[in-house]
Amino acid sequence: MRILLSVGDRGKAGNYLMYLKDLGDVEIITFDSKIPDGDYDLLVLGGGEDIDPKLYGEVVRYENVEVERLRDDFEFELVERFLLRGKAIFGICRGFQLLTVFFGGTLYQDLEKEGFKPIHRGKNGEDVEHRVIFSGVFENYFGLEGIVNSNHHQGLKGFPERLKGEILAVSEDHLVEAFYSKTYRVLGVQWHPERHNSPISKGILSFLKLI
């Protein structure tokens, strides 16, 4: 399998490379690069900055919203190209949020300010673990619930109907944590499997081999 990994900083790609190595050969790309013409099997969208709220019809509402519009536009083009070629796409954290917006969904710009529990990011910006409830194919893989790691302050608000997908996981405070579209071969998770050595992280890799 040939994998194209989009990240904001090549220097922070190590965890992704270690995580994805069992799937195949990984090539890193950043938004200041030219999109390659290679025949890839999977696009992986990594974590990073917030998505520009203008892309889902809002303005920046909070001081802690940090965007990189060039990266948003670049990754939108990547997603379009992979969809046109019928190739699989996997979004992690920011990548999950970018796919949400690409397919017409909206985001909470700051979870705690909008009423969610402080379970999605540590007080000092570190990863935290929390429980999720699984459904659909993830329930088949992982059972009814499991523990994942998170480090984000935004989340899915309006489900992306154009995705034609299903919700695979929700947090205990009812935030959508994962979705999958068989139609478009798109999987997204809000947590960071590349930084969490768990059966769930390993199971996601197994699932990616099949989509």
Side-chain angles (χ1 to χ4, degrees), residues 83 86-90 96 99 103 137-138 159-168 178-188 207 210-211:
L83 289 174
K87 303 296 185 178
I89 302 172
F90 177 37
F96 168 83
L99 290 169
F103 283 100
V137 66
F138 271 15
F159 192 81
E161 298 299 333
R162 294 203 301 269
L163 180 67
K164 300 179 181 178
E166 60 175 323
I167 295 172
L168 298 185
F179 54 53
Y180 170 59
S181 171
K182 184 176 182 180
T183 300
Y184 292 114
R185 303 181 67 201
V186 168
L187 173 68
F207 182 64
L210 301 177
I211 69 170

Side-chain angles (χ1 to χ4, degrees), residues 31 49-58 66-76 94 98 101:
F31 64 89
E49 308 84 1
D50 301 321
I51 309 301
D52 188 346
K54 292 179 182 177
L55 291 169
Y56 51 94
E58 296 185 10
E66 300 178 356
V67 304
E68 177 50 82
R69 181 56 184 264
L70 291 177
R71 184 178 177 188
D72 298 340
D73 294 341
F74 179 80
E75 292 186 336
F76 264 45
R94 169 197 152 88
L98 183 119
V101 175

Side-chain angles (χ1 to χ4, degrees), residues 2-4 35-36 38 40-44 77-89 184:
R2 293 191 66 197
I3 303 164
L4 187 62
I35 297 178
Y40 300 94
D41 303 294
L42 173 67
L43 170 64
V44 178
E77 185 175 351
L78 280 175
V79 171
E80 288 176 353
R81 291 194 183 197
F82 272 70
L83 289 174
L84 286 172
R85 296 175 181 178
K87 303 296 185 178
I89 302 172
Y184 292 114

Side-chain angles (χ1 to χ4, degrees), residues 45-187:
L45 303 169
E49 308 84 1
D50 301 321
I51 309 301
D52 188 346
K54 292 179 182 177
L55 291 169
Y56 51 94
E58 296 185 10
V59 298
V60 172
R61 296 178 60 192
Y62 308 112
E63 292 182 357
N64 62 346
V65 175
E66 300 178 356
V67 304
E68 177 50 82
R69 181 56 184 264
L70 291 177
R71 184 178 177 188
D72 298 340
D73 294 341
F74 179 80
E75 292 186 336
F76 264 45
E77 185 175 351
L78 280 175
V79 171
E80 288 176 353
R81 291 194 183 197
F82 272 70
L83 289 174
L84 286 172
R85 296 175 181 178
K87 303 296 185 178
I89 302 172
F90 177 37
I92 296 173
C93 196
R94 169 197 152 88
F96 168 83
Q97 295 171 4
L98 183 119
L99 290 169
T100 295
V101 175
F102 180 90
F103 283 100
T106 59
L107 302 174
Y108 293 106
Q109 290 192 37
D110 188 86
L111 294 174
E112 290 190 40
K113 289 182 174 66
E114 300 192 35
F116 286 85
K117 295 180 179 180
I119 62 172
H120 300 280
R121 171 176 283 174
K123 292 182 179 179
N124 298 312
E126 70 274 18
D127 286 10
V128 293
E129 293 185 334
H130 64 82
R131 185 172 65 101
V132 293
I133 308 301
F134 294 120
S135 58
V137 66
F138 271 15
E139 183 179 345
N140 296 335
Y141 267 71
F142 308 125
L144 289 175
E145 63 180 58
I147 300 296
V148 299
N149 64 320
S150 284
N151 192 334
H152 61 99
H153 78 107
Q154 298 194 335
L156 189 156
K157 182 178 182 180
F159 192 81
E161 298 299 333
R162 294 203 301 269
L163 180 67
K164 300 179 181 178
E166 60 175 323
I167 295 172
L168 298 185
V170 296
S171 63
E172 60 189 69
D173 54 353
H174 309 293
L175 187 71
V176 175
E177 293 273 341
F179 54 53
Y180 170 59
S181 171
K182 184 176 182 180
T183 300
Y184 292 114
R185 303 181 67 201
V186 168
L187 173 68

